Amino acid sequence: MTKWIGAVLGAGLALVAQGAAAQQSEEVSFAPGNYGTMITGTIVGHEYRDYRLGAQAGQELFVDLKVTQTDGFGIAYLNILPPGSDNVAIYVGSMDEDSTETVPLPEDGTYTIRVYLMGNDRDAGASVSYAIDVSIQ
């Protein structure tokens, strides 16, 4: 029985991983001479959007997420994933009451800022537009 449950859970995780690859991803770059930028976007329901940017160990990633428009409750979250992450975040926005955070970066590489919905907005297919102030210092 235990092997069967493990096989079913393993198959379910494989399906989740395949679905995750279908989400949108964008590269983030800063204008020459700038160390930050503003990112805007919209997500709906179960969607999430990844923003990828390169950084070095010892730098700090500053993020400030604000909802700009919604047809739901208007609560969006973001996670920060380190280079090579298998969906394990070094910062989980849903665990923090504040949408502004400065995260020390532990290694060189490409970091991912993942924006997503939870709860009723996710389940009801709500549309949430947002702006993220991003900088690396």
Side-chain angles (χ1 to χ4, degrees), residues 47-109:
E47 294 177 352
Y48 65 83
R49 179 150 312 144
D50 286 349
Y51 298 97
R52 300 169 39 85
L53 66 158
Q56 297 177 349
Q59 290 183 310
E60 293 181 325
L61 176 60
F62 169 82
V63 292
D64 183 16
L65 171 67
K66 300 286 187 218
V67 170
T68 58
Q69 187 174 359
T70 184
D71 62 2
F73 290 104
I75 302 171
Y77 300 93
L78 64 79
N79 290 354
I80 298 173
L81 288 70
S85 175
D86 188 21
N87 295 318
V88 176
I90 58 174
Y91 171 75
V92 179
S94 64
M95 303 294 281
D96 196 350
E97 291 181 21
D98 191 6
S99 62
T100 303
E101 190 64 37
T102 301
V103 178
L105 304 178
E107 60 185 294
D108 294 355

Side-chain angles (χ1 to χ4, degrees), residues 28-30 36-41 51 64-66 68 130-135:
V28 175
S29 60
F30 304 145
T37 191
M38 186 68 71
I39 300 168
T40 60
Y51 298 97
D64 183 16
L65 171 67
K66 300 286 187 218
T68 58
Y130 55 87
I132 309 169
D133 184 4
V134 178
S135 65

